[in-house]
Amino acid sequence: MTHSIFSIDVEDWYHILDVPSAPALAAWDALPARVEDNFRRMLDILGETGARATCFFIGHVAKRFPALVREAKARGHEIASHSYEHRLVYTMTPAEFVEDARRSRTLLEDISGGPVLGFRASGFSVTEATPWFFEKLVEAGYTYDSSTFPASRGHGGLKSGELAPHGRDTAAGRLAEFPVTVTEVLGKRLCFFGGGYLRLFPYPLVKRMSRAVLAQGRPVIFYIHPREIDPDHPRLPMSASRRFKTYVNLDTTEGKIRRILADFPVTTFGDYLAEHRSAFGVS
Ligand SMILES: [Zn+2]
């Protein structure tokens, strides 16, 4: 079976986007952290089957908890970047974006002692309004990206984007792009494989849709957050619709992760890329 890709966005319970009650960066360090326990528990779950994942760290989290980066690396996982400040791409200037992406990469390379190839933007916030994103990411020193969401969603999305992983030319060089996995159901592009979508849908449907994607020769990109295996984490006040998306079915995530790992062989983005390098055309 084609390998799928398992990824974790390493952030805490208060890293919720576009909610007025979300604390500002200056307040983060004073908040009670749950990411340490939750992330380590997630590594334990992966360890039960020997599965390896790509861990996209928010730079600010890595700076506060560098031991988590070293532990993930020591346990065989790939270290990648989820930006430094977790800002939405479409709220940044190109120069601000490069600065933030580079700062996060450099920090993670310093802590882990190895190269950091991959990036994932907060909220998959790459849109038609940020055409500069891919070139700036190469400029910031990255080889691959997993930030595009080829369907409609709350924080933008690239509705008409390509579905399969592909290579992409930019003025700064070539980039390997891994769009978030979506599949067409009754003419609509839907995601079943991460975050709120994985929590919302029953596992048998997630499994059936994963099989359908693999049958098309695409890897399934699974993505989760450490807070999603912690049903008791503190809640931020927000609108009813956001509350539903953010907190629905938290108690089902851990079981779904175990079933995914039992049913599908997974690997890291880095290893997938190394195996399919010529298809992406990156050096
Ligand atoms: Zn995030």
Side-chain angles (χ1 to χ4, degrees), residues 9 11 15 17 58 82 86 121-123 225:
D9 293 355
E11 54 187 58
H15 289 116
L17 294 157
I58 293 183
H82 190 36
H86 205 242
S122 69
H225 305 84

Side-chain angles (χ1 to χ4, degrees), residues 132-155:
W132 44 263
F133 169 80
F134 305 99
E135 178 190 340
K136 294 296 158 190
L137 195 58
V138 176
E139 208 177 297
Y142 291 90
T143 304
Y144 76 82
D145 173 62
S146 174
S147 303
T148 57
F149 193 96
S152 304
R153 68 179 261 110
H155 309 290

Side-chain angles (χ1 to χ4, degrees), residues 51-63:
R52 293 165 51 252
T54 297
C55 306
F56 292 96
F57 279 88
I58 293 183
H60 195 275
V61 170
K63 186 158 176 71

Side-chain angles (χ1 to χ4, degrees), residues 202-218:
Y203 183 71
L205 183 61
V206 173
K207 182 173 174 177
R208 186 145 49 87
M209 291 302 161
S210 299
R211 290 238 160 100
V213 168
L214 289 164
Q216 294 168 15
R218 291 189 282 143

Side-chain angles (χ1 to χ4, degrees), residues 105-116:
R105 181 178 60 77
T106 314
L107 174 77
L108 291 166
E109 289 181 345
D110 283 350
I111 298 171
S112 68
V116 166

